[in-house]
Amino acid sequence: MSAPDLGRRALLKGGLLGGAGAFTLAGAVASSGAASEGSAPGTSSTGTADLVVPFHGEHQAGITTPPPPHAVFVGMDLDDGVGTTELGRLMRVWTDDISRLTAGVAPVTDQEPEVAARPAGLTVTVGWGPGLFDRLGLDDRRPSWLAPLPPMPVDDLDEAYGGTDLLLQLCSHSPVPLAHARRLLVGAARGIATPRWVQPGFRDPGEQAGLAFRNEFGQVDGTVQPDVADRDADLLWIGPASASHPGWVGGSSLVLRRIRMDMEDWERADRVAREHAVGRDLATGAPLTGGEESTPVDLHAVLPSGLPVVDRHAHVRRASPHAPHERFLRRPYSYEQVGTDGTVETGLLFAAFQADPVRQFLPVQRRLAEGDLLNIWTVPVGSAVYAVLPGCAEGDWLGRALLV
Amino acid sequence: MSAPDLGRRALLKGGLLGGAGAFTLAGAVASSGAASEGSAPGTSSTGTADLVVPFHGEHQAGITTPPPPHAVFVGMDLDDGVGTTELGRLMRVWTDDISRLTAGVAPVTDQEPEVAARPAGLTVTVGWGPGLFDRLGLDDRRPSWLAPLPPMPVDDLDEAYGGTDLLLQLCSHSPVPLAHARRLLVGAARGIATPRWVQPGFRDPGEQAGLAFRNEFGQVDGTVQPDVADRDADLLWIGPASASHPGWVGGSSLVLRRIRMDMEDWERADRVAREHAVGRDLATGAPLTGGEESTPVDLHAVLPSGLPVVDRHAHVRRASPHAPHERFLRRPYSYEQVGTDGTVETGLLFAAFQADPVRQFLPVQRRLAEGDLLNIWTVPVGSAVYAVLPGCAEGDWLGRALLV
């Protein structure tokens, strides 16, 4: 085990994890050691406080990891004058901090080790945005597809939630280690990068096991997903053939869209109108053409009148792939932005991971923007695209192959 | 069972709950019926989704109920022209809605019954602020202590978080039923009252069992609490002797203080400085005079130098009661207010319940404002006081005895 810049505690923890079982794509293991220190007053753990999701591996965690109830996306821009040297320094520091925090071990600069000791399945996923390549002159290492999405007719984008040079996606079963890790990682970037936006999201803790969840419209969302653990793996991960640079193999991409939902107007729509717009039964998530949540929708089914059962503009039809490659891993969260005037903006942090967003995501997005009935009640207000770095082995650091 | 304005489903649910066991002060029972309908995709419940905290009783729920990980406080002002008739109508509607929502039953106007079916221990607690009595000319029914706290030298109050006419405190194990209930109850008040502020809070889900929790400073907070279930009950609940009106018997009061925490400056303080300021060990929460978290602090202990072990201005000393009545039930939550510019304000929603805030809370607050070392890193930015209504029996409604 060679990990020159990890301390003794981290190595011990690493060894413990290494011995606990083989790395699984979506696996999380409970580290009995992680919460043994300073856990008062949390002796009444619900069982998630000690969860550890392995950090090291071919891919970063937080992508195929089942989404826990809390997430926060942090978009950061490089400070003026920062070059590849400083970016490399930041990536080394972040790699060290993330490997510790996710293992339940306090980084050296961390003054709240008791909070760090309860990671609750913390994952941190790092991405690079288009601006980073422009700013640092790294065009030869830029993925061909890495650019903002073209403007969509439904968009009402606010640059306050636009694409940034760097992205951190943090997820956990508890908002406490999430806040702690966010502060520590943002603090570690001081002088190199500054947050432009922070977008927290949530899911129902009762829905941890799968990717599907009930969004704020009450709609079961995220049912149809590619089989990324097996036959659809090439839809998620950048492979040697498509990588613009070998340093991207094992990476992915993230499209993050902030979609505001008009809850007041949605309340005026009755169940029939809602199910017509979605194309699914709201109670069970089953398609209107019958069956259960996992039953494929029959887009050819017609009513006795000859009209389609699923409307031409129903969400489920517009979102259906026209070709096998038009699929991607969706890992969305709900959000609530509380104003200082008693108002609350409600919406969805739509997060999609795929090997190539232009080839896989964009055609679907175009169909939705053109004629999804849900557009009546939704407006995209933020949009960003990132290249997600491959994972790294112990002793290595995120992005090294792209910077040295 | 007489509950004329509850529908058949609610009666069934009520019967189910009635049969499940006697009402306990802090008890929550799992209603096996509550989540049986439309719970897809939440079949993988973590065990909290179906929790039901009984609504009816002598006192409102959400006070002695162990604080679940999510809360939201909503401060609302009565609309112009609203009188006691309209307030009475709102209280009847809210009582009906709250009794259903907390039981996992959708109110009649609720179009997301699948969300309502998973209350996750939802409680809703209703309070009346000083302005309500002024506005409606109800001075004869106003508790003598119901007024804003006097200004404190440490305060930097923002009226955006000041006292309002009405308060809703919602708590749940899941942010999803919380958001749903908030929207429904705020919607039900349309034309009668409008939110001035919405303040969400969180705790670590691993710390559900007790009142104490680790705040964003990493400090164990809320260890010393009165024994409100037994010998200190009169410190919490308004009794016949002290009630300004019989309609308040079984009620309480809430002091809600929004306390901003300067995380950046706190990061510059080392463990020694932090523990000196708090007066407790940060890892275990034990007083600096020894023992464990529950050990009483020895304020007379001195060092060999003759100086006190616990500094004259340490938080634990300033917060210690000088008389037995200077105690109150603390039920705080952490908050993070995310700005639209990449910044995050961190702090504490200090929530204290007591029979009489002027007699019990104010002397302690004065001592803290005068010389608590933690004031170096904290600023109260919001302050509000409410009279908390007594509970109600089935068929009755909150506040009836004060309005008819």
Side-chain angles (χ1 to χ4, degrees), chain A residues 334-348:
Chain A
S334 294
Y335 77 82
E336 292 203 314
Q337 173 82 30
V338 173
T340 53
D341 59 352
T343 61
V344 181
E345 178 186 312
T346 299
L348 184 79

PDB file of all heavy atoms in Angstrom, chain A residues 334-348:
ATOM      1  N   SER A 334     -34.922  16.643  -5.162  1.00  0.00           N
ATOM      2  CA  SER A 334     -35.816  17.790  -5.035  1.00  0.00           C
ATOM      3  C   SER A 334     -35.073  18.942  -4.367  1.00  0.00           C
ATOM      4  O   SER A 334     -34.102  18.724  -3.642  1.00  0.00           O
ATOM      5  CB  SER A 334     -37.032  17.433  -4.181  1.00  0.00           C
ATOM      6  OG  SER A 334     -37.828  16.467  -4.832  1.00  0.00           O
ATOM      7  N   TYR A 335     -35.527  20.167  -4.632  1.00  0.00           N
ATOM      8  CA  TYR A 335     -34.953  21.281  -3.880  1.00  0.00           C
ATOM      9  C   TYR A 335     -36.044  22.234  -3.416  1.00  0.00           C
ATOM     10  O   TYR A 335     -37.139  22.275  -3.980  1.00  0.00           O
ATOM     11  CB  TYR A 335     -33.894  22.034  -4.711  1.00  0.00           C
ATOM     12  CG  TYR A 335     -34.416  22.980  -5.773  1.00  0.00           C
ATOM     13  CD1 TYR A 335     -34.821  24.279  -5.447  1.00  0.00           C
ATOM     14  CD2 TYR A 335     -34.488  22.604  -7.105  1.00  0.00           C
ATOM     15  CE1 TYR A 335     -35.281  25.158  -6.412  1.00  0.00           C
ATOM     16  CE2 TYR A 335     -34.949  23.471  -8.080  1.00  0.00           C
ATOM     17  CZ  TYR A 335     -35.344  24.746  -7.732  1.00  0.00           C
ATOM     18  OH  TYR A 335     -35.801  25.618  -8.694  1.00  0.00           O
ATOM     19  N   GLU A 336     -35.728  22.967  -2.364  1.00  0.00           N
ATOM     20  CA  GLU A 336     -36.544  24.084  -1.902  1.00  0.00           C
ATOM     21  C   GLU A 336     -35.597  25.245  -1.623  1.00  0.00           C
ATOM     22  O   GLU A 336     -34.673  25.110  -0.820  1.00  0.00           O
ATOM     23  CB  GLU A 336     -37.281  23.729  -0.600  1.00  0.00           C
ATOM     24  CG  GLU A 336     -38.345  22.691  -0.784  1.00  0.00           C
ATOM     25  CD  GLU A 336     -39.394  22.765   0.318  1.00  0.00           C
ATOM     26  OE1 GLU A 336     -39.002  22.866   1.491  1.00  0.00           O
ATOM     27  OE2 GLU A 336     -40.586  22.746  -0.002  1.00  0.00           O
ATOM     28  N   GLN A 337     -35.816  26.349  -2.324  1.00  0.00           N
ATOM     29  CA  GLN A 337     -35.000  27.543  -2.082  1.00  0.00           C
ATOM     30  C   GLN A 337     -35.855  28.507  -1.288  1.00  0.00           C
ATOM     31  O   GLN A 337     -36.821  29.078  -1.805  1.00  0.00           O
ATOM     32  CB  GLN A 337     -34.563  28.164  -3.410  1.00  0.00           C
ATOM     33  CG  GLN A 337     -33.850  29.500  -3.277  1.00  0.00           C
ATOM     34  CD  GLN A 337     -32.377  29.360  -2.942  1.00  0.00           C
ATOM     35  OE1 GLN A 337     -31.730  28.386  -3.321  1.00  0.00           O
ATOM     36  NE2 GLN A 337     -31.832  30.318  -2.209  1.00  0.00           N
ATOM     37  N   VAL A 338     -35.507  28.673  -0.008  1.00  0.00           N
ATOM     38  CA  VAL A 338     -36.281  29.530   0.873  1.00  0.00           C
ATOM     39  C   VAL A 338     -35.787  30.965   0.722  1.00  0.00           C
ATOM     40  O   VAL A 338     -34.596  31.231   0.889  1.00  0.00           O
ATOM     41  CB  VAL A 338     -36.134  29.056   2.334  1.00  0.00           C
ATOM     42  CG1 VAL A 338     -36.784  30.033   3.284  1.00  0.00           C
ATOM     43  CG2 VAL A 338     -36.733  27.666   2.484  1.00  0.00           C
ATOM     44  N   GLY A 339     -36.695  31.869   0.363  1.00  0.00           N
ATOM     45  CA  GLY A 339     -36.333  33.278   0.243  1.00  0.00           C
ATOM     46  C   GLY A 339     -36.358  33.969   1.589  1.00  0.00           C
ATOM     47  O   GLY A 339     -36.728  33.375   2.608  1.00  0.00           O
ATOM     48  N   THR A 340     -35.973  35.248   1.619  1.00  0.00           N
ATOM     49  CA  THR A 340     -36.002  35.996   2.879  1.00  0.00           C
ATOM     50  C   THR A 340     -37.328  36.747   3.020  1.00  0.00           C
ATOM     51  O   THR A 340     -37.476  37.592   3.892  1.00  0.00           O
ATOM     52  CB  THR A 340     -34.831  36.999   2.948  1.00  0.00           C
ATOM     53  OG1 THR A 340     -34.862  37.793   1.761  1.00  0.00           O
ATOM     54  CG2 THR A 340     -33.507  36.283   3.040  1.00  0.00           C
ATOM     55  N   ASP A 341     -38.310  36.415   2.178  1.00  0.00           N
ATOM     56  CA  ASP A 341     -39.597  37.112   2.178  1.00  0.00           C
ATOM     57  C   ASP A 341     -40.773  36.155   2.392  1.00  0.00           C
ATOM     58  O   ASP A 341     -41.903  36.473   2.032  1.00  0.00           O
ATOM     59  CB  ASP A 341     -39.771  37.853   0.854  1.00  0.00           C
ATOM     60  CG  ASP A 341     -39.719  36.888  -0.334  1.00  0.00           C
ATOM     61  OD1 ASP A 341     -39.406  35.689  -0.115  1.00  0.00           O
ATOM     62  OD2 ASP A 341     -40.010  37.313  -1.459  1.00  0.00           O
ATOM     63  N   GLY A 342     -40.512  35.000   2.943  1.00  0.00           N
ATOM     64  CA  GLY A 342     -41.592  34.061   3.215  1.00  0.00           C
ATOM     65  C   GLY A 342     -41.956  33.162   2.041  1.00  0.00           C
ATOM     66  O   GLY A 342     -42.845  32.325   2.165  1.00  0.00           O
ATOM     67  N   THR A 343     -41.276  33.339   0.919  1.00  0.00           N
ATOM     68  CA  THR A 343     -41.575  32.495  -0.240  1.00  0.00           C
ATOM     69  C   THR A 343     -40.618  31.302  -0.302  1.00  0.00           C
ATOM     70  O   THR A 343     -39.519  31.350   0.241  1.00  0.00           O
ATOM     71  CB  THR A 343     -41.444  33.280  -1.555  1.00  0.00           C
ATOM     72  OG1 THR A 343     -40.097  33.742  -1.663  1.00  0.00           O
ATOM     73  CG2 THR A 343     -42.410  34.455  -1.587  1.00  0.00           C
ATOM     74  N   VAL A 344     -41.072  30.253  -0.949  1.00  0.00           N
ATOM     75  CA  VAL A 344     -40.241  29.062  -1.147  1.00  0.00           C
ATOM     76  C   VAL A 344     -40.337  28.669  -2.616  1.00  0.00           C
ATOM     77  O   VAL A 344     -41.436  28.466  -3.135  1.00  0.00           O
ATOM     78  CB  VAL A 344     -40.716  27.883  -0.273  1.00  0.00           C
ATOM     79  CG1 VAL A 344     -39.815  26.672  -0.485  1.00  0.00           C
ATOM     80  CG2 VAL A 344     -40.745  28.268   1.201  1.00  0.00           C
ATOM     81  N   GLU A 345     -39.202  28.601  -3.284  1.00  0.00           N
ATOM     82  CA  GLU A 345     -39.181  28.091  -4.657  1.00  0.00           C
ATOM     83  C   GLU A 345     -38.939  26.596  -4.583  1.00  0.00           C
ATOM     84  O   GLU A 345     -38.032  26.126  -3.904  1.00  0.00           O
ATOM     85  CB  GLU A 345     -38.071  28.775  -5.455  1.00  0.00           C
ATOM     86  CG  GLU A 345     -37.955  28.261  -6.884  1.00  0.00           C
ATOM     87  CD  GLU A 345     -36.757  28.847  -7.617  1.00  0.00           C
ATOM     88  OE1 GLU A 345     -36.551  30.069  -7.581  1.00  0.00           O
ATOM     89  OE2 GLU A 345     -36.011  28.049  -8.225  1.00  0.00           O
ATOM     90  N   THR A 346     -39.774  25.836  -5.272  1.00  0.00           N
ATOM     91  CA  THR A 346     -39.675  24.378  -5.251  1.00  0.00           C
ATOM     92  C   THR A 346     -39.248  23.893  -6.632  1.00  0.00           C
ATOM     93  O   THR A 346     -39.618  24.496  -7.637  1.00  0.00           O
ATOM     94  CB  THR A 346     -41.040  23.776  -4.884  1.00  0.00           C
ATOM     95  OG1 THR A 346     -41.397  24.231  -3.578  1.00  0.00           O
ATOM     96  CG2 THR A 346     -41.013  22.256  -4.893  1.00  0.00           C
ATOM     97  N   GLY A 347     -38.482  22.826  -6.666  1.00  0.00           N
ATOM     98  CA  GLY A 347     -38.079  22.309  -7.968  1.00  0.00           C
ATOM     99  C   GLY A 347     -37.312  21.015  -7.886  1.00  0.00           C
ATOM    100  O   GLY A 347     -37.337  20.313  -6.870  1.00  0.00           O
ATOM    101  N   LEU A 348     -36.657  20.732  -8.996  1.00  0.00           N
ATOM    102  CA  LEU A 348     -35.929  19.480  -9.152  1.00  0.00           C
ATOM    103  C   LEU A 348     -34.507  19.800  -9.588  1.00  0.00           C
ATOM    104  O   LEU A 348     -34.305  20.612 -10.503  1.00  0.00           O
ATOM    105  CB  LEU A 348     -36.623  18.643 -10.245  1.00  0.00           C
ATOM    106  CG  LEU A 348     -36.061  17.251 -10.487  1.00  0.00           C
ATOM    107  CD1 LEU A 348     -36.558  16.289  -9.407  1.00  0.00           C
ATOM    108  CD2 LEU A 348     -36.480  16.736 -11.871  1.00  0.00           C
TER     109      LEU A 348
END
